[in-house]
Amino acid sequence: MLQHDQLVLAIVDDHPIVIEGLKNLLASATGFDIVSFTTGSDFLNYLKTNGADVVLLDIVLPDANGLELCRDIKKKYPDITILAISNQAERSIIQQMLQNGASGYLLKNASADELLDCIEKGMKGETALSKEAKDILSGPATNDWNSIPSLTKREKEILRLISEGLSSTDIADKLYLSQLTVETHRRNIIQKFQTNNMFSVIKLAMEHKII
Amino acid sequence: MLQHDQLVLAIVDDHPIVIEGLKNLLASATGFDIVSFTTGSDFLNYLKTNGADVVLLDIVLPDANGLELCRDIKKKYPDITILAISNQAERSIIQQMLQNGASGYLLKNASADELLDCIEKGMKGETALSKEAKDILSGPATNDWNSIPSLTKREKEILRLISEGLSSTDIADKLYLSQLTVETHRRNIIQKFQTNNMFSVIKLAMEHKII
DNA sequence: TTTTACCTACCTGTTTTTCGGTATATTTCG
DNA sequence: CGAAATATACCGAAAAACAGGTAGGTAAAA
């Protein structure tokens, strides 16, 4: 049994069943104090008045994007060790997560041993990947990472509105911008996707789950 | 074996963490004997020599399709109560599962109470749906069959080319049509989707896997 | 056989997007 | 702090999309 008597481990996952499973696994194998949350904002609230040493963070949450949440947590509380837990087995997601400060990435079909092992590694400062995550990263280096542009928050917002059928002037009204500004964003988005018009941008963005 | 009069509940899920969670929840709240499997074939093997009363069946399994597995189990062992457990929140999946003999459908974000409630209902022969599953089934019927327009072959072809970034004149050249014809098709497509421009059409078409 | 659906094509407009620039204030980050 | 990224805004012109019509030919279905 590992001994971490005063360390706090937080679980952020919107599946009560998963939380129960993780609690059960960890309570019997470690000495962590365990707290759990089903939304990102609940956890951020908790952090205002409490501490945490390790976080098991689901990427898919009802109220937040796990990628951004991870970055935000790391920015405010750099000492927290974040391990991402997700069903998403896509290379780009794993890479983005690690880039945003996660210490590791576990797929939800990881075994209990892998989980404990990754927590240990993460706390030692090593990069902790479950077997399947490792396979994906070391696998065929597809060049699609280059063609998945990272949009800014504003750009994503505007792209989403475009995909819902709003014109540039509609969007300008909605966001209290000049339509010229919206058109500038449009151009930048199209350029980032290295394509020639918005139609293909929307297709690509949908394929890569950006919208 | 101990206590043959006790009811047996089987969990079939490829996520060890989920299995732990379900075991933990059910062991403390019910008197079931609990067995678990991570593959469909493991479970089928078990059924050759053992019985089960209730099955919590994940739809996504490494070696089998949950839909077919459900049908097979029901055909061989009609008395087993099957509850589907899945992350997939799509109307058509739920409907297919119920048609294949499942007594209920739980989304993985269901609460412990919902889970216990559904097991009870399922064993009484009632249809047991978690709240969110119920919402999806009773919800806007518009989203699935009614508002998914059926495009003709030509229209699909043109929509696909538009989503790849080709303009009407590009498409006209490629398909040896007048660009006026292409524009007519565009208008008909937009009308079928009951929207105002191609951008939202592409989004909707991607969502419904038409392209 | 009449109807219906589909593919094709055209006309006349208006609206919207796209492309070529430039430019400033703010925010973020090394 | 200084540099880079981001969000904001403007001008002008060309290209494309959108919207309202109409309409002929073909093939399948009622």
Side-chain angles (χ1 to χ4, degrees), chain B residues 47-193:
Chain B
L47 282 180
K48 286 177 187 167
T49 50
N50 301 270
D53 300 285
V54 186
V55 186
L56 302 182
L57 178 63
D58 192 2
I59 291 185
V60 180
L61 290 171
D63 69 327
N65 176 293
L67 287 165
E68 293 168 16
L69 185 60
C70 177
R71 200 186 49 223
D72 292 349
I73 295 171
K74 265 290 175 183
K75 202 163 68 181
K76 282 189 190 168
Y77 315 96
D79 291 338
I80 297 179
T81 298
I82 300 178
L83 294 179
I85 296 199
S86 169
N87 272 317
Q88 290 186 263
E90 279 148 56
R91 188 194 187 79
S92 64
I93 303 278
I94 301 176
Q95 287 175 325
Q96 280 179 68
M97 207 64 199
L98 295 177
Q99 241 167 359
N100 281 9
S103 300
Y105 198 103
L106 287 147
L107 287 163
K108 277 191 179 169
N109 63 5
S111 68
D113 284 344
E114 282 182 292
L115 175 60
L116 296 172
D117 195 46
C118 282
I119 291 175
E120 213 167 306
K121 273 191 184 168
M123 295 192 68
K124 275 194 272 180
E126 300 172 27
T127 298
L129 298 172
S130 73
K131 187 190 167 302
E132 206 174 324
K134 228 177 281 176
D135 289 346
I136 290 165
L137 277 189
S138 67
T142 57
N143 240 4
D144 266 59
W145 276 88
N146 278 335
S147 84
I148 297 181
S150 62
L151 299 185
T152 67
K153 205 171 178 177
R154 201 54 147 177
E155 286 167 346
K156 273 185 208 166
E157 187 177 22
I158 285 172
L159 180 54
R160 192 174 44 79
L161 293 173
I162 292 171
S163 77
E164 285 166 8
L166 279 71
S167 70
S168 288
T169 50
D170 292 340
I171 295 170
D173 287 350
K174 196 177 183 83
L175 301 182
Y176 306 106
L177 297 172
S178 159
Q179 115 264 16
L180 297 162
T181 304
V182 177
E183 280 166 18
T184 301
H185 282 304
R186 285 183 96 113
R187 264 185 298 157
N188 292 335
I189 294 169
I190 291 172
Q191 257 182 351
K192 282 189 178 180
F193 276 88

Side-chain angles (χ1 to χ4, degrees), chain A residues 95-202:
Chain A
Q95 287 177 323
Q96 280 180 69
M97 208 64 199
L98 294 177
Q99 231 166 4
N100 281 9
S103 300
Y105 197 104
L106 286 146
L107 288 163
K108 278 192 177 169
N109 62 4
S111 68
D113 285 343
E114 281 183 292
L115 175 61
L116 296 172
D117 194 46
C118 283
I119 292 174
E120 277 295 291
K121 274 191 183 170
M123 294 193 67
K124 276 193 272 181
E126 301 172 28
T127 298
L129 299 172
S130 73
K131 189 190 166 303
E132 205 174 326
K134 229 177 282 175
D135 290 346
I136 291 165
L137 276 189
S138 65
T142 53
N143 51 359
D144 67 344
W145 176 233
N146 284 335
S147 65
I148 300 178
S150 65
L151 299 185
T152 67
K153 209 169 177 175
R154 200 55 147 176
E155 286 167 345
K156 272 183 210 166
E157 187 177 20
I158 286 172
L159 180 53
R160 194 174 45 76
L161 293 173
I162 293 172
S163 77
E164 285 165 8
L166 279 71
S167 71
S168 289
T169 49
D170 292 341
I171 296 170
D173 287 348
K174 195 177 184 83
L175 302 182
Y176 305 107
L177 297 173
S178 159
Q179 84 276 18
L180 297 162
T181 304
V182 178
E183 280 163 19
T184 302
H185 283 303
R186 285 182 94 112
R187 265 186 295 163
N188 292 335
I189 293 169
I190 291 172
Q191 247 182 354
K192 282 189 177 181
F193 277 87
Q194 295 178 351
T195 180
N196 50 339
N197 65 29
M198 259 303 158
F199 300 117
S200 54
V201 167
I202 288 178

Side-chain angles (χ1 to χ4, degrees), chain A residues 3-18:
Chain A
Q3 286 298 330
H4 294 297
D5 284 324
Q6 42 298 44
L7 294 178
V8 173
L9 183 143
I11 302 167
V12 186
D13 196 306
D14 67 325
H15 300 344
I17 295 167
V18 173

